[in-house]
Coordinates of all heavy atoms in Angstrom, one line a residue:
M1 N 221.7 -136.0 -62.0 CA 220.5 -135.2 -62.1 C 219.9 -135.4 -63.5 O 220.6 -135.3 -64.5 CB 220.8 -133.7 -61.9 CG 219.6 -132.8 -61.9 SD 220.0 -131.1 -61.4 CE 220.3 -131.2 -59.7
K2 N 218.6 -135.5 -63.6 CA 217.9 -135.7 -64.9 C 217.6 -134.4 -65.6 O 217.6 -133.4 -65.0 CB 216.6 -136.4 -64.6 CG 216.7 -137.8 -64.1 CD 215.3 -138.4 -63.9 CE 215.5 -139.8 -63.2 NZ 214.1 -140.4 -63.0
K3 N 217.5 -134.6 -66.9 CA 217.2 -133.4 -67.8 C 216.0 -132.6 -67.3 O 216.0 -131.4 -67.3 CB 217.0 -133.8 -69.2 CG 218.3 -134.2 -69.9 CD 218.1 -134.4 -71.4 CE 219.5 -134.7 -72.0 NZ 219.8 -133.9 -73.2
E4 N 215.0 -133.3 -66.9 CA 213.7 -132.6 -66.4 C 214.0 -131.8 -65.2 O 213.5 -130.7 -65.1 CB 212.6 -133.7 -66.1 CG 212.0 -134.3 -67.3 CD 210.9 -135.3 -66.9 OE1 210.4 -135.2 -65.8 OE2 210.6 -136.1 -67.8
E5 N 214.8 -132.3 -64.3 CA 215.1 -131.6 -63.1 C 215.9 -130.3 -63.4 O 215.7 -129.2 -62.8 CB 215.9 -132.4 -62.1 CG 215.2 -133.6 -61.6 CD 216.1 -134.5 -60.8 OE1 217.0 -135.1 -61.4 OE2 215.8 -134.7 -59.5
I6 N 216.9 -130.5 -64.3 CA 217.7 -129.3 -64.7 C 216.8 -128.3 -65.4 O 216.9 -127.1 -65.1 CB 218.8 -129.8 -65.6 CG1 219.8 -130.7 -64.9 CG2 219.6 -128.6 -66.2 CD1 220.8 -131.4 -65.8
L7 N 216.0 -128.7 -66.3 CA 215.1 -127.8 -67.0 C 214.2 -127.0 -66.0 O 214.0 -125.8 -66.1 CB 214.2 -128.5 -68.0 CG 213.3 -127.7 -68.9 CD1 214.1 -126.6 -69.7 CD2 212.5 -128.6 -69.9
N8 N 213.6 -127.8 -65.0 CA 212.7 -127.1 -64.0 C 213.5 -126.1 -63.2 O 212.9 -125.0 -62.9 CB 212.1 -128.2 -63.1 CG 211.0 -128.9 -63.8 OD1 210.3 -128.4 -64.7 ND2 210.8 -130.2 -63.5
K9 N 214.7 -126.3 -62.9 CA 215.5 -125.4 -62.2 C 215.8 -124.1 -63.0 O 215.8 -123.0 -62.5 CB 216.8 -126.0 -61.7 CG 216.6 -126.9 -60.5 CD 217.9 -127.3 -59.9 CE 217.7 -128.2 -58.7 NZ 218.8 -128.2 -57.7
I10 N 216.0 -124.4 -64.3 CA 216.3 -123.2 -65.2 C 215.0 -122.4 -65.3 O 215.1 -121.1 -65.3 CB 216.7 -123.7 -66.6 CG1 218.1 -124.3 -66.5 CG2 216.7 -122.6 -67.7 CD1 218.6 -125.0 -67.8
I11 N 213.8 -123.0 -65.4 CA 212.6 -122.3 -65.4 C 212.5 -121.4 -64.1 O 212.1 -120.2 -64.2 CB 211.4 -123.2 -65.5 CG1 211.4 -123.9 -66.9 CG2 210.1 -122.5 -65.3 CD1 210.4 -125.1 -67.0
D12 N 212.8 -122.0 -63.0 CA 212.7 -121.3 -61.7 C 213.7 -120.1 -61.7 O 213.3 -119.0 -61.3 CB 213.1 -122.2 -60.5 CG 212.0 -123.2 -60.2 OD1 210.9 -123.1 -60.7 OD2 212.4 -124.2 -59.6
I13 N 214.9 -120.3 -62.3 CA 215.8 -119.2 -62.4 C 215.3 -118.1 -63.3 O 215.3 -116.9 -62.9 CB 217.2 -119.7 -62.9 CG1 217.9 -120.6 -61.9 CG2 218.1 -118.5 -63.3 CD1 219.0 -121.4 -62.4
Y14 N 214.7 -118.5 -64.4 CA 214.1 -117.5 -65.4 C 213.0 -116.7 -64.7 O 213.0 -115.5 -64.8 CB 213.6 -118.3 -66.6 CG 213.1 -117.4 -67.7 CD1 213.9 -116.9 -68.6 CD2 211.7 -117.1 -67.8 CE1 213.5 -116.1 -69.7 CE2 211.2 -116.3 -68.8 CZ 212.1 -115.8 -69.7 OH 211.6 -115.0 -70.7
E15 N 212.2 -117.4 -63.9 CA 211.1 -116.7 -63.3 C 211.6 -115.7 -62.2 O 211.1 -114.6 -62.1 CB 210.1 -117.7 -62.6 CG 209.3 -118.4 -63.5 CD 208.3 -119.4 -62.9 OE1 208.7 -119.9 -61.8 OE2 207.2 -119.6 -63.4
N16 N 212.7 -116.0 -61.5 CA 213.3 -115.1 -60.6 C 213.9 -113.9 -61.2 O 213.8 -112.8 -60.7 CB 214.4 -115.8 -59.7 CG 213.8 -116.8 -58.7 OD1 212.7 -116.6 -58.2 ND2 214.5 -117.8 -58.4
I17 N 214.4 -114.1 -62.4 CA 215.0 -113.0 -63.1 C 213.9 -112.0 -63.6 O 214.1 -110.8 -63.4 CB 215.8 -113.5 -64.3 CG1 217.1 -114.2 -63.8 CG2 216.2 -112.3 -65.3 CD1 217.9 -114.9 -64.9
I18 N 212.9 -112.5 -64.2 CA 211.8 -111.6 -64.7 C 210.9 -111.1 -63.6 O 210.1 -110.2 -63.8 CB 211.1 -112.1 -65.9 CG1 210.3 -113.4 -65.5 CG2 212.1 -112.4 -67.0 CD1 209.3 -113.7 -66.6
G19 N 210.9 -111.8 -62.5 CA 210.1 -111.4 -61.3 C 208.6 -111.8 -61.4 O 207.8 -111.2 -60.7
E20 N 208.3 -112.7 -62.2 CA 206.9 -113.2 -62.3 C 206.8 -114.6 -62.8 O 207.8 -115.1 -63.4 CB 206.1 -112.3 -63.2 CG 206.6 -112.2 -64.6 CD 205.8 -111.1 -65.5 OE1 205.8 -110.0 -65.1 OE2 205.2 -111.6 -66.5
E21 N 205.7 -115.2 -62.6 CA 205.5 -116.6 -63.1 C 205.4 -116.6 -64.6 O 204.8 -115.6 -65.2 CB 204.3 -117.2 -62.5 CG 204.2 -118.7 -62.6 CD 203.1 -119.3 -61.8 OE1 202.9 -118.9 -60.6 OE2 202.5 -120.3 -62.3
V22 N 205.9 -117.6 -65.3 CA 205.8 -117.6 -66.7 C 205.0 -118.8 -67.2 O 204.8 -119.8 -66.4 CB 207.3 -117.7 -67.3 CG1 208.1 -116.5 -67.0 CG2 208.0 -118.9 -66.9
D23 N 204.6 -118.8 -68.4 CA 204.0 -119.9 -69.0 C 205.0 -121.0 -69.3 O 205.8 -120.9 -70.2 CB 203.3 -119.5 -70.4 CG 202.7 -120.6 -71.1 OD1 202.5 -121.7 -70.5 OD2 202.3 -120.4 -72.3
K24 N 204.9 -122.1 -68.5 CA 206.0 -123.1 -68.5 C 205.9 -123.9 -69.8 O 206.9 -124.6 -70.1 CB 205.8 -124.0 -67.3 CG 206.3 -123.3 -66.0 CD 206.1 -124.1 -64.8 CE 206.6 -123.5 -63.5 NZ 206.0 -122.2 -63.2
S25 N 204.8 -123.8 -70.5 CA 204.7 -124.6 -71.8 C 205.7 -124.1 -72.8 O 206.0 -124.9 -73.8 CB 203.3 -124.5 -72.3 OG 203.0 -123.2 -72.8
I26 N 206.2 -122.9 -72.7 CA 207.2 -122.4 -73.7 C 208.6 -123.0 -73.4 O 209.5 -122.9 -74.3 CB 207.2 -120.9 -73.8 CG1 207.7 -120.3 -72.5 CG2 205.9 -120.3 -74.2 CD1 208.1 -118.8 -72.6
F27 N 208.8 -123.6 -72.3 CA 210.0 -124.2 -71.9 C 210.1 -125.6 -72.2 O 209.7 -126.5 -71.4 CB 210.3 -123.9 -70.4 CG 210.6 -122.5 -70.0 CD1 209.5 -121.7 -69.8 CD2 211.9 -122.1 -69.9 CE1 209.8 -120.4 -69.4 CE2 212.1 -120.8 -69.6 CZ 211.1 -119.9 -69.3
T28 N 210.6 -125.9 -73.4 CA 210.9 -127.3 -73.8 C 212.3 -127.4 -74.1 O 213.0 -126.4 -74.3 CB 210.0 -127.7 -75.0 OG1 210.4 -127.0 -76.1 CG2 208.5 -127.5 -74.7
L29 N 212.8 -128.6 -74.2 CA 214.2 -128.8 -74.6 C 214.5 -128.2 -76.0 O 215.6 -127.9 -76.3 CB 214.6 -130.3 -74.5 CG 214.6 -130.9 -73.1 CD1 214.9 -132.4 -73.2 CD2 215.7 -130.2 -72.2
E30 N 213.5 -128.2 -76.8 CA 213.6 -127.7 -78.2 C 213.5 -126.2 -78.3 O 213.7 -125.6 -79.3 CB 212.6 -128.3 -79.1 CG 212.8 -129.8 -79.3 CD 212.3 -130.6 -78.2 OE1 211.3 -130.2 -77.5 OE2 212.8 -131.7 -77.9
S31 N 213.1 -125.5 -77.2 CA 212.9 -124.0 -77.2 C 214.2 -123.3 -77.6 O 215.2 -123.6 -77.0 CB 212.4 -123.6 -75.8 OG 211.2 -124.1 -75.5
N32 N 214.1 -122.4 -78.5 CA 215.2 -121.5 -78.8 C 215.3 -120.4 -77.8 O 214.4 -119.8 -77.4 CB 214.9 -120.9 -80.2 CG 216.1 -120.0 -80.7 OD1 216.3 -118.9 -80.1 ND2 216.8 -120.5 -81.7
I33 N 216.5 -120.3 -77.2 CA 216.7 -119.4 -76.1 C 216.3 -118.0 -76.4 O 215.6 -117.4 -75.6 CB 218.2 -119.5 -75.6 CG1 218.5 -120.9 -75.1 CG2 218.5 -118.5 -74.5 CD1 220.0 -121.2 -74.9
K34 N 216.8 -117.5 -77.5 CA 216.5 -116.1 -77.8 C 215.2 -115.9 -78.4 O 214.5 -114.9 -78.0 CB 217.6 -115.5 -78.7 CG 219.0 -115.5 -78.0 CD 220.0 -114.9 -79.0 CE 221.4 -114.9 -78.3 NZ 222.5 -114.6 -79.1
N35 N 214.8 -116.7 -79.3 CA 213.5 -116.5 -80.1 C 212.3 -116.9 -79.3 O 211.3 -116.1 -79.2 CB 213.5 -117.2 -81.4 CG 214.6 -116.7 -82.3 OD1 215.0 -115.5 -82.2 ND2 215.1 -117.6 -83.2
D36 N 212.3 -118.1 -78.7 CA 211.1 -118.6 -78.0 C 210.9 -118.0 -76.6 O 209.8 -117.8 -76.1 CB 211.1 -120.1 -77.9 CG 211.1 -120.8 -79.3 OD1 210.6 -120.1 -80.2 OD2 211.6 -121.9 -79.4
L37 N 212.0 -117.7 -75.9 CA 211.9 -117.2 -74.5 C 211.9 -115.7 -74.5 O 211.6 -115.2 -73.4 CB 213.1 -117.8 -73.7 CG 213.2 -119.3 -73.7 CD1 214.3 -119.7 -72.7 CD2 211.9 -120.0 -73.3
G38 N 212.2 -115.1 -75.6 CA 212.2 -113.6 -75.6 C 213.2 -113.0 -74.6 O 212.9 -111.9 -74.1
I39 N 214.3 -113.6 -74.5 CA 215.3 -113.1 -73.5 C 216.3 -112.2 -74.3 O 216.8 -112.5 -75.4 CB 216.0 -114.2 -72.8 CG1 216.8 -113.7 -71.6 CG2 216.9 -115.0 -73.7 CD1 217.1 -114.8 -70.6
N40 N 216.6 -111.0 -73.7 CA 217.5 -110.1 -74.3 C 218.9 -110.4 -73.8 O 219.1 -111.2 -72.9 CB 217.1 -108.6 -74.1 CG 217.1 -108.2 -72.7 OD1 217.7 -108.8 -71.8 ND2 216.3 -107.2 -72.4
S41 N 219.9 -109.6 -74.2 CA 221.3 -109.9 -73.8 C 221.5 -109.7 -72.3 O 222.3 -110.4 -71.7 CB 222.3 -109.0 -74.6 OG 222.0 -107.7 -74.5
V42 N 220.9 -108.7 -71.7 CA 221.0 -108.5 -70.3 C 220.4 -109.6 -69.5 O 221.0 -110.2 -68.6 CB 220.4 -107.1 -69.9 CG1 220.4 -107.0 -68.4 CG2 221.1 -106.0 -70.5
G43 N 219.2 -110.0 -69.9 CA 218.5 -111.2 -69.3 C 219.3 -112.4 -69.4 O 219.4 -113.3 -68.5
L44 N 219.9 -112.6 -70.6 CA 220.8 -113.8 -70.8 C 222.0 -113.8 -69.9 O 222.3 -114.8 -69.3 CB 221.2 -113.9 -72.3 CG 222.0 -115.1 -72.7 CD1 221.3 -116.4 -72.5 CD2 222.4 -115.0 -74.2
L45 N 222.6 -112.6 -69.7 CA 223.7 -112.5 -68.7 C 223.3 -112.9 -67.3 O 224.0 -113.7 -66.7 CB 224.2 -111.1 -68.7 CG 225.4 -110.8 -67.8 CD1 226.6 -111.7 -68.2 CD2 225.8 -109.4 -67.8
Y46 N 222.1 -112.4 -66.9 CA 221.6 -112.8 -65.5 C 221.4 -114.3 -65.5 O 221.7 -115.0 -64.5 CB 220.4 -112.0 -65.2 CG 220.6 -110.6 -64.7 CD1 220.1 -109.6 -65.4 CD2 221.4 -110.3 -63.6 CE1 220.2 -108.2 -65.0 CE2 221.6 -109.0 -63.2 CZ 221.0 -108.0 -63.9 OH 221.2 -106.7 -63.5
L47 N 220.8 -114.8 -66.5 CA 220.5 -116.3 -66.6 C 221.7 -117.1 -66.5 O 221.8 -118.1 -65.7 CB 219.7 -116.6 -67.9 CG 219.2 -118.0 -68.0 CD1 218.1 -118.3 -67.0 CD2 218.6 -118.2 -69.4
I48 N 222.8 -116.7 -67.2 CA 224.1 -117.4 -67.2 C 224.7 -117.4 -65.8 O 225.1 -118.4 -65.2 CB 225.0 -116.8 -68.2 CG1 224.5 -117.2 -69.6 CG2 226.4 -117.3 -68.0 CD1 225.2 -116.4 -70.7
V49 N 224.7 -116.2 -65.2 CA 225.3 -116.1 -63.8 C 224.5 -117.0 -62.8 O 225.1 -117.7 -62.0 CB 225.3 -114.6 -63.4 CG1 225.7 -114.5 -61.9 CG2 226.3 -113.8 -64.2
D50 N 223.2 -116.9 -62.9 CA 222.4 -117.7 -61.9 C 222.5 -119.2 -62.2 O 222.5 -120.0 -61.2 CB 221.0 -117.2 -62.0 CG 220.8 -115.9 -61.3 OD1 221.7 -115.3 -60.7 OD2 219.7 -115.3 -61.4
I51 N 222.6 -119.6 -63.4 CA 222.8 -121.0 -63.7 C 224.2 -121.5 -63.2 O 224.3 -122.6 -62.6 CB 222.7 -121.3 -65.3 CG1 221.3 -121.2 -65.7 CG2 223.3 -122.6 -65.6 CD1 221.1 -121.2 -67.2
E52 N 225.2 -120.7 -63.4 CA 226.5 -121.0 -62.9 C 226.5 -121.2 -61.3 O 227.0 -122.2 -60.8 CB 227.6 -120.0 -63.2 CG 227.9 -120.0 -64.7 CD 228.9 -118.9 -65.1 OE1 229.0 -117.9 -64.4 OE2 229.7 -119.2 -66.0
K53 N 225.8 -120.4 -60.6 CA 225.7 -120.5 -59.2 C 224.8 -121.7 -58.8 O 225.2 -122.4 -57.9 CB 225.0 -119.2 -58.6 CG 225.9 -118.0 -58.6 CD 225.1 -116.8 -58.0 CE 225.9 -115.5 -58.2 NZ 225.1 -114.4 -57.7
E54 N 223.7 -121.9 -59.4 CA 222.8 -123.0 -59.1 C 223.4 -124.3 -59.3 O 223.3 -125.2 -58.5 CB 221.5 -122.9 -59.9 CG 220.5 -124.0 -59.7 CD 219.9 -124.0 -58.3 OE1 219.7 -122.9 -57.7 OE2 219.6 -125.1 -57.8
F55 N 224.1 -124.5 -60.4 CA 224.6 -125.8 -60.7 C 226.1 -126.0 -60.5 O 226.7 -127.0 -60.8 CB 224.3 -126.1 -62.2 CG 222.8 -126.2 -62.5 CD1 222.2 -125.2 -63.1 CD2 222.1 -127.4 -62.1 CE1 220.8 -125.3 -63.4 CE2 220.8 -127.4 -62.4 CZ 220.1 -126.4 -63.0
D56 N 226.8 -124.9 -60.0 CA 228.2 -124.9 -59.7 C 229.0 -125.4 -61.0 O 229.8 -126.3 -61.0 CB 228.5 -125.8 -58.6 CG 229.9 -125.6 -58.0 OD1 230.5 -124.5 -58.2 OD2 230.5 -126.6 -57.5
V57 N 228.7 -124.7 -62.1 CA 229.4 -125.0 -63.4 C 229.9 -123.6 -63.9 O 229.4 -122.6 -63.5 CB 228.5 -125.6 -64.5 CG1 228.0 -127.0 -64.1 CG2 227.3 -124.7 -64.8
V58 N 230.8 -123.7 -64.8 CA 231.3 -122.5 -65.5 C 230.9 -122.6 -66.9 O 231.2 -123.5 -67.6 CB 232.8 -122.4 -65.3 CG1 233.4 -121.2 -66.1 CG2 233.2 -122.3 -63.9
L59 N 230.2 -121.6 -67.4 CA 229.8 -121.5 -68.8 C 230.8 -120.6 -69.5 O 230.7 -119.4 -69.4 CB 228.3 -121.0 -68.9 CG 227.3 -121.8 -68.2 CD1 225.9 -121.0 -68.2 CD2 227.2 -123.2 -68.7
H60 N 231.7 -121.2 -70.2 CA 232.7 -120.5 -71.0 C 232.1 -119.8 -72.2 O 231.1 -120.3 -72.7 CB 233.8 -121.5 -71.4 CG 234.5 -122.2 -70.3 ND1 235.3 -121.5 -69.4 CD2 234.3 -123.4 -69.8 CE1 235.7 -122.4 -68.5 NE2 235.2 -123.5 -68.7
N61 N 232.7 -118.7 -72.6 CA 232.1 -118.0 -73.7 C 232.0 -118.8 -75.0 O 231.0 -118.7 -75.7 CB 233.0 -116.8 -74.1 CG 232.8 -115.6 -73.1 OD1 231.8 -115.6 -72.4 ND2 233.8 -114.7 -73.0
Q62 N 233.0 -119.7 -75.2 CA 232.9 -120.6 -76.4 C 231.6 -121.5 -76.3 O 231.0 -121.8 -77.3 CB 234.1 -121.5 -76.5 CG 235.4 -120.8 -76.6 CD 236.0 -120.5 -75.2 OE1 235.4 -120.4 -74.2 NE2 237.3 -120.2 -75.2
S63 N 231.3 -122.0 -75.1 CA 230.2 -122.8 -74.9 C 228.9 -122.0 -75.1 O 227.9 -122.5 -75.7 CB 230.2 -123.4 -73.5 OG 231.3 -124.2 -73.3
I64 N 228.8 -120.8 -74.5 CA 227.6 -120.0 -74.5 C 227.3 -119.7 -76.0 O 226.1 -119.7 -76.3 CB 227.8 -118.7 -73.7 CG1 228.0 -119.1 -72.2 CG2 226.7 -117.7 -73.9 CD1 228.5 -117.9 -71.4
E65 N 228.2 -119.4 -76.8 CA 228.0 -119.0 -78.2 C 227.3 -120.2 -79.0 O 226.6 -120.0 -79.9 CB 229.3 -118.6 -78.9 CG 229.8 -117.3 -78.3 CD 231.2 -116.9 -78.8 OE1 231.7 -117.7 -79.6 OE2 231.7 -115.9 -78.4
K66 N 227.6 -121.4 -78.5 CA 227.0 -122.6 -79.2 C 225.6 -123.0 -78.7 O 224.9 -123.8 -79.3 CB 227.9 -123.8 -79.0 CG 229.3 -123.6 -79.6 CD 230.2 -124.8 -79.4 CE 231.6 -124.6 -80.0 NZ 232.5 -125.6 -79.6
F67 N 225.2 -122.3 -77.6 CA 223.9 -122.6 -77.0 C 222.8 -122.0 -77.9 O 222.7 -120.8 -78.0 CB 223.7 -122.1 -75.6 CG 224.6 -122.8 -74.6 CD1 224.9 -122.1 -73.4 CD2 225.1 -124.0 -74.8 CE1 225.7 -122.7 -72.5 CE2 225.9 -124.6 -73.9 CZ 226.2 -124.0 -72.7
V68 N 221.9 -122.8 -78.5 CA 220.8 -122.3 -79.3 C 219.5 -122.7 -78.6 O 218.6 -121.8 -78.4 CB 220.9 -122.9 -80.7 CG1 219.7 -122.4 -81.5 CG2 222.2 -122.5 -81.4
T69 N 219.4 -123.9 -78.2 CA 218.2 -124.4 -77.5 C 218.4 -124.7 -76.1 O 219.6 -124.7 -75.6 CB 217.7 -125.7 -78.2 OG1 218.6 -126.7 -77.9 CG2 217.5 -125.6 -79.7
L70 N 217.3 -124.8 -75.3 CA 217.5 -125.2 -73.9 C 218.2 -126.5 -73.8 O 218.8 -126.8 -72.8 CB 216.1 -125.2 -73.2 CG 215.6 -123.8 -72.9 CD1 214.2 -123.9 -72.3 CD2 216.5 -123.1 -71.9
N71 N 218.0 -127.4 -74.7 CA 218.6 -128.7 -74.7 C 220.1 -128.6 -74.7 O 220.8 -129.3 -74.0 CB 218.2 -129.6 -75.8 CG 218.7 -131.0 -75.7 OD1 218.4 -131.7 -74.7 ND2 219.5 -131.5 -76.6
D72 N 220.6 -127.6 -75.4 CA 222.1 -127.4 -75.4 C 222.6 -127.0 -74.0 O 223.6 -127.5 -73.6 CB 222.4 -126.2 -76.4 CG 222.1 -126.5 -77.8 OD1 222.1 -127.7 -78.2 OD2 221.8 -125.5 -78.6
V73 N 221.9 -126.2 -73.4 CA 222.2 -125.7 -72.0 C 222.1 -126.9 -71.0 O 223.0 -127.2 -70.2 CB 221.4 -124.6 -71.5 CG1 221.7 -124.1 -70.1 CG2 221.5 -123.4 -72.5
V74 N 221.0 -127.6 -71.1 CA 220.7 -128.7 -70.2 C 221.8 -129.8 -70.4 O 222.3 -130.3 -69.4 CB 219.3 -129.3 -70.4 CG1 219.1 -130.6 -69.6 CG2 218.3 -128.2 -69.9
T75 N 222.1 -130.1 -71.6 CA 223.1 -131.2 -71.9 C 224.4 -130.8 -71.3 O 225.1 -131.6 -70.7 CB 223.2 -131.5 -73.4 OG1 221.9 -131.9 -73.8 CG2 224.2 -132.5 -73.7
Y76 N 224.8 -129.5 -71.5 CA 226.1 -129.0 -71.0 C 226.1 -129.1 -69.5 O 227.1 -129.6 -68.9 CB 226.3 -127.6 -71.4 CG 227.6 -127.0 -70.9 CD1 228.8 -127.2 -71.7 CD2 227.7 -126.3 -69.7 CE1 230.0 -126.7 -71.2 CE2 228.9 -125.8 -69.2 CZ 230.1 -126.0 -70.0 OH 231.3 -125.5 -69.5
I77 N 225.1 -128.7 -68.8 CA 225.0 -128.8 -67.4 C 225.1 -130.2 -66.9 O 225.9 -130.6 -66.0 CB 223.7 -128.1 -66.8 CG1 223.8 -126.6 -67.1 CG2 223.5 -128.5 -65.3 CD1 222.5 -125.9 -66.8
E78 N 224.3 -131.1 -67.6 CA 224.3 -132.5 -67.2 C 225.7 -133.1 -67.3 O 226.1 -134.0 -66.5 CB 223.3 -133.2 -68.2 CG 223.0 -134.6 -67.9 CD 221.9 -135.2 -68.8 OE1 222.1 -135.0 -70.0 OE2 221.0 -135.8 -68.4
Q79 N 226.4 -132.8 -68.3 CA 227.8 -133.3 -68.5 C 228.8 -132.7 -67.6 O 229.9 -133.3 -67.5 CB 228.2 -133.2 -70.0 CG 227.3 -134.0 -70.9 CD 227.6 -133.6 -72.4 OE1 228.3 -132.7 -72.7 NE2 227.1 -134.5 -73.3
N80 N 228.5 -131.6 -67.0 CA 229.6 -130.8 -66.3 C 229.3 -130.7 -64.8 O 230.0 -130.0 -64.1 CB 229.8 -129.5 -66.9 CG 230.5 -129.6 -68.2 OD1 231.7 -129.8 -68.3 ND2 229.7 -129.5 -69.3
I81 N 228.2 -131.4 -64.3 CA 228.0 -131.3 -62.8 C 228.5 -132.6 -62.2 O 228.7 -133.5 -62.8 CB 226.5 -131.0 -62.4 CG1 225.6 -132.0 -63.1 CG2 226.2 -129.6 -62.8 CD1 224.2 -131.9 -62.6

């Protein structure tokens, strides 16, 4: 699966969590998860759970703490699916 495909699925997951369509231009590989996406800790938890289900991966606490940008998440998924 390509990075673009993974990123698009993450955008879909994010939209499902917040319940509305989002400005997709804020979702780049360089986007900072907390600062640019405006996601709080509860939203992040939902995002993690849904990513694990969608991609059939396990995001370990050690890995999650290292995720700063969407590229970090996408790369992890790419390497673990």
Side-chain angles (χ1 to χ4, degrees):
M1 185 175 285
K2 295 180 182 179
K3 284 188 180 228
E4 285 180 20
E5 294 172 298
I6 296 170
L7 182 59
N8 286 330
K9 285 188 177 202
I10 291 173
I11 294 169
D12 291 341
I13 291 168
Y14 184 86
E15 286 181 330
N16 286 333
I17 290 170
I18 65 164
E20 61 186 60
E21 195 170 322
V22 296
D23 177 9
K24 291 178 176 56
S25 68
I26 65 169
F27 288 86
T28 66
L29 292 174
E30 294 79 27
S31 296
N32 183 288
I33 297 167
K34 292 180 183 173
N35 297 333
D36 297 334
L37 305 184
I39 194 164
N40 62 25
S41 57
V42 174
L44 184 58
L45 179 61
Y46 282 120
L47 186 63
I48 290 166
V49 169
D50 289 351
I51 286 173
E52 288 179 331
K53 288 179 187 176
E54 176 69 33
F55 296 103
D56 194 29
V57 296
V58 176
L59 302 175
H60 301 285
N61 284 341
Q62 301 89 337
S63 300
I64 294 168
E65 292 171 2
K66 294 178 184 175
F67 295 157
V68 176
T69 66
L70 283 176
N71 188 58
D72 297 333
V73 179
V74 169
T75 300
Y76 181 87
I77 292 169
E78 191 177 44
Q79 293 173 348
N80 290 280
I81 56 173

